[in-house]
Amino acid sequence: MKVAIIGMGTAGVSTLNQLSKHKKFKNITVDIFDNAEDMGMGKPFQNDSDRLLINLPANQMSLDPQNEKDFKKWYKKNDEFDYGKAKYLPRLVFGHYMKSILNKLLQKHDNIFVHKHKVDSCYVEEIKDERGQYKIDVCYIEDDEAVCQKYDYVFLTIGMLPYKDPYQLSGLSGYIESPYPTTRALRNVKQNDDIAIIGTGLSSVDVIRYVMENHERLPLVVTSRNAQFPSVRGIRHEIDLKYINDKAIEKFKKSHKGVVPLKNVEKLFKKECEYQNINLQKMLYRFKKDNVYNMKYDLRHEDEVGHFQSFIEEVKHHMIPLWNAMTIDDKKAFLDKYGHHFKRNANPMPQSSAKQLIDWIENGDIIVKEGLENVRKYYGKFRIKYKNVENENSYHYVINATGPKKHLSELTEDEHFIKGLENKQIIAAHPFGGILVLPYTNEVISPKFGTMPNLKVIGQLTTGVNFDVNGVSLLVDQSVRAVKDLYIELEERKKAKKVQSKKK
């Protein structure tokens, strides 16, 4: 069996790592694709400033599903990086951890072949094999020529989509459309230039830390519509869910013709929170408009807040059946009512970052402004308009930290690989983001070819079906399931060949 993995960041390395652990790995050949810069590291963890921290403690990060301390163990043995006993390590360290796993796999196995090229396009041959599946052509540019190879099985692990451009500023001088790598993004900024950052999520926290330590002109303005930072990570709790489980969900589905109504979802959550001794209302509505107040609150109540965050994280691992059992209307209502709570509590910032932000804001070095309405460029400077404010503020540079695109409709022609797959009807957009895949298996559901068991997607592109796949552990979970399916398919192909040979 010939296998391709397109994209070698977290999802790609994890998939290859899982493939290699199987006793039948020698029976397949694997081609891996990515550019030289991202190969084995991906964009979030590539070489950048060591001020950019992972938002999870090092002892909770791992590509080994059996050992969540694998990354911390590797760090302690590695002489290249020394950040002492730091609880939160720089992103680039995890990138080198992933690259070390890839390098070990390449040294150990001679059936893995590296292609340091971005895949340009994919095609599906409309001839089925003995298993009734289509072969997939993967094409890339090498020495100015298109090269295409056929594969029996393809993993699409391209990571996050490009950053949003909500104010159509792409291509304008002074507009930094992606904050990463920060060392490159701010290369042309002069010390006396005014800078504004749009977006207040985790990416924004990264950029703020870097700008504050490498730029003299203050205050730094940070703005978005709501101007609310993520919560602050508290103390981790072990969570054993009692009510949010497959058995309870199946019970509701049976009594409601395959659907779980939103009111029942809410009942499950409330019942689970009571069992976990979590004050749900208090945790959901603890925030005020004042970011400093919010961060100080989380720091003071690190045990209670950490308990709730741990609960949310565990629920995310069990959301697939619940999310996919809701109607479209109930999903919309769920996201309107609870989506921002999940986002804010499931991806908290490190305590050290929060303490720095508090100091900078209280000292007047950072100004956080809500009500962002529009950004335009006029007479060489960017003009930022706020809701219910007549005058605009002007800046030399605007750094975009609004986060990645979520929907295929947001993609431009420059993002031609995914647009090409959609145009050829190999993939289709999901109404809640990403593309249509089967729950759990992540098999592509194609408008033209139907369900494609040999085309798997892992990562953010599955967000519409998998609710929220932002996190290393969730990507590893997806990889484990997808690889298990591949080896089942390998056995089925073996049986099919035996049957065919007997007929001859």
Side-chain angles (χ1 to χ4, degrees):
M1 180 186 283
K2 195 172 181 182
V3 179
I5 302 176
I6 301 174
M8 285 306 293
T10 306
V13 174
S14 177
T15 299
L16 182 63
N17 192 34
Q18 293 304 316
L19 282 170
S20 70
K21 292 179 179 181
H22 201 280
K23 60 184 178 182
K24 299 283 187 180
F25 182 60
K26 62 182 181 297
N27 295 339
I28 66 176
T29 59
V30 184
D31 285 358
I32 61 175
F33 295 88
D34 214 332
N35 61 33
E37 189 176 36
D38 293 342
M39 179 68 73
M41 298 180 83
K43 292 198 182 299
F45 302 111
Q46 64 186 222
N47 287 317
D48 202 344
S49 167
D50 62 4
R51 307 310 296 165
L52 311 186
L53 301 181
I54 306 167
N55 71 313
L56 265 175
N59 61 3
Q60 296 176 34
M61 294 279 288
S62 175
L63 289 193
D64 184 349
Q66 307 303 321
N67 180 13
E68 73 169 6
K69 292 181 171 59
D70 189 58
F71 170 49
K72 188 66 178 288
K73 183 180 175 182
W74 174 88
Y75 167 70
K76 285 181 177 179
K77 288 184 177 179
N78 194 286
D79 296 329
E80 187 178 353
F81 304 102
D82 184 10
Y83 295 95
K85 295 181 179 180
K87 187 176 181 180
Y88 296 91
L89 291 171
R91 289 174 179 266
L92 66 91
V93 181
F94 191 79
H96 283 270
Y97 158 73
M98 292 196 301
K99 195 150 194 172
S100 74
I101 291 174
L102 175 59
N103 289 335
K104 282 182 182 178
L105 293 174
L106 294 175
Q107 291 168 11
K108 184 177 180 181
H109 303 283
D110 59 4
N111 57 336
I112 305 172
F113 301 93
V114 179
H115 300 268
K116 292 183 179 179
H117 308 282
K118 281 285 188 185
V119 171
D120 187 67
S121 58
C122 283
Y123 299 86
V124 175
E125 291 196 358
E126 297 190 44
I127 302 172
K128 293 185 177 181
D129 62 16
E130 69 275 4
R131 286 278 294 143
Q133 295 175 8
Y134 302 101
K135 284 191 180 294
I136 300 167
D137 283 4
V138 174
C139 304
Y140 54 95
I141 305 297
E142 185 174 26
D143 298 328
D144 295 324
E145 290 188 11
V147 179
C148 294
Q149 298 193 53
K150 298 183 192 327
Y151 293 92
D152 303 298
Y153 217 99
V154 172
F155 293 97
L156 193 56
T157 54
I158 61 170
M160 294 189 302
L161 293 173
Y163 264 59
K164 300 172 189 172
D165 181 20
Y167 304 103
Q168 289 77 55
L169 302 172
S170 181
L172 294 179
S173 175
Y175 177 63
I176 301 170
E177 55 189 300
S178 172
Y180 302 115
T182 55
T183 50
R184 190 185 306 161
L186 303 182
R187 184 183 297 160
N188 297 321
V189 179
K190 299 180 180 66
Q191 286 298 333
N192 62 342
D193 285 336
D194 289 312
I195 297 175
I197 297 171
I198 55 174
T200 48
L202 284 175
S203 297
S204 178
V205 175
D206 277 346
V207 180
I208 290 169
R209 284 168 56 88
Y210 184 79
V211 172
M212 288 299 295
E213 295 183 18
N214 292 276
H215 191 69
E216 294 176 1
R217 182 71 177 266
L218 298 175
L220 172 66
V221 170
V222 183
T223 182
S224 68
R225 283 176 296 179
N226 297 315
Q228 293 287 294
F229 288 123
S231 61
V232 183
R233 188 171 296 279
I235 295 171
R236 187 188 185 195
H237 286 238
E238 292 297 327
I239 302 293
D240 183 16
L241 297 176
K242 183 177 181 179
Y243 297 105
I244 300 177
N245 54 48
D246 292 348
K247 185 178 178 181
I249 295 165
E250 283 302 315
K251 183 180 177 181
F252 281 127
K253 285 170 68 176
K254 284 180 181 179
S255 60
H256 292 86
K257 301 186 185 302
V259 171
V260 179
L262 179 57
K263 63 180 181 180
N264 294 111
V265 174
E266 291 177 318
K267 285 179 182 177
L268 274 181
F269 270 83
K270 289 174 183 176
K271 201 171 181 181
E272 188 69 65
C273 284
E274 288 172 6
Y275 173 74
Q276 302 290 346
N277 197 28
I278 291 170
N279 187 329
L280 183 59
Q281 289 298 107
K282 180 181 178 182
M283 286 294 98
L284 289 182
Y285 301 105
R286 71 186 188 273
F287 302 112
K288 298 182 183 295
K289 283 193 173 183
D290 185 340
N291 278 291
V292 170
Y293 170 89
N294 294 335
M295 290 185 284
K296 285 183 175 180
Y297 180 95
D298 284 1
L299 289 168
R300 285 198 312 270
H301 300 85
E302 59 178 355
D303 187 65
E304 185 180 18
V305 169
H307 188 192
F308 182 60
Q309 291 168 345
S310 301
F311 166 71
I312 292 293
E313 183 63 29
E314 188 63 26
V315 166
K316 280 172 61 180
H317 285 269
H318 295 80
M319 272 298 288
I320 296 175
L322 201 57
W323 177 247
N324 288 286
M326 285 191 268
T327 64
I328 287 179
D329 286 343
D330 277 353
K331 285 179 181 177
K332 288 177 181 176
F334 180 89
L335 289 177
D336 288 343
K337 196 170 182 180
Y338 303 109
H340 63 290
H341 294 299
F342 263 88
K343 184 177 181 181
R344 197 166 188 181
N345 287 285
N347 300 295
M349 72 175 93
Q351 290 189 354
S352 57
S353 297
K355 290 173 183 176
Q356 280 191 313
L357 285 176
I358 291 169
D359 287 343
W360 287 327
I361 293 171
E362 289 187 329
N363 291 336
D365 295 328
I366 290 177
I367 296 175
V368 184
K369 302 188 74 169
E370 66 174 326
L372 176 61
E373 195 170 76
N374 190 42
V375 185
R376 65 186 182 114
K377 194 169 187 184
Y378 185 68
Y379 279 94
K381 294 186 81 173
F382 292 94
R383 318 285 168 155
I384 294 184
K385 173 76 170 61
Y386 297 97
K387 190 175 181 180
N388 299 325
V389 178
E390 185 176 346
N391 294 329
E392 297 174 316
N393 298 136
S394 60
Y395 303 90
H396 296 98
Y397 280 86
V398 167
I399 302 174
N400 178 28
T402 56
K405 296 173 182 176
K406 186 177 178 182
H407 297 275
L408 299 193
S409 59
E410 298 175 282
L411 299 179
T412 67
E413 293 306 318
D414 292 336
E415 288 120 21
H416 65 275
F417 174 58
I418 295 296
K419 291 290 286 184
L421 294 177
E422 183 184 25
N423 192 40
K424 293 190 283 282
Q425 299 182 77
I426 297 172
I427 63 172
H430 191 286
F432 290 92
I435 67 174
L436 289 172
V437 297
L438 281 181
Y440 292 109
T441 67
N442 286 13
E443 299 168 15
V444 165
I445 301 174
S446 165
K448 187 174 182 180
F449 304 104
T451 303
M452 300 184 67
N454 60 333
L455 180 56
K456 302 270 191 174
V457 183
I458 297 170
Q460 190 213 358
L461 272 178
T462 70
T463 191
V465 170
N466 292 324
F467 181 67
D468 185 357
V469 285
N470 184 21
V472 171
S473 63
L474 291 164
L475 293 177
V476 172
D477 285 350
Q478 286 192 354
S479 298
V480 170
R481 291 196 298 268
V483 166
K484 183 180 177 182
D485 289 344
L486 177 141
Y487 283 111
I488 292 172
E489 176 61 25
L490 188 64
E491 286 301 307
E492 292 301 319
R493 285 173 181 258
K494 187 178 177 182
K495 291 176 185 176
K497 285 181 180 178
K498 283 183 179 180
V499 171
Q500 284 188 345
S501 63
K502 285 181 180 178
K503 287 181 180 179
K504 291 179 181 179

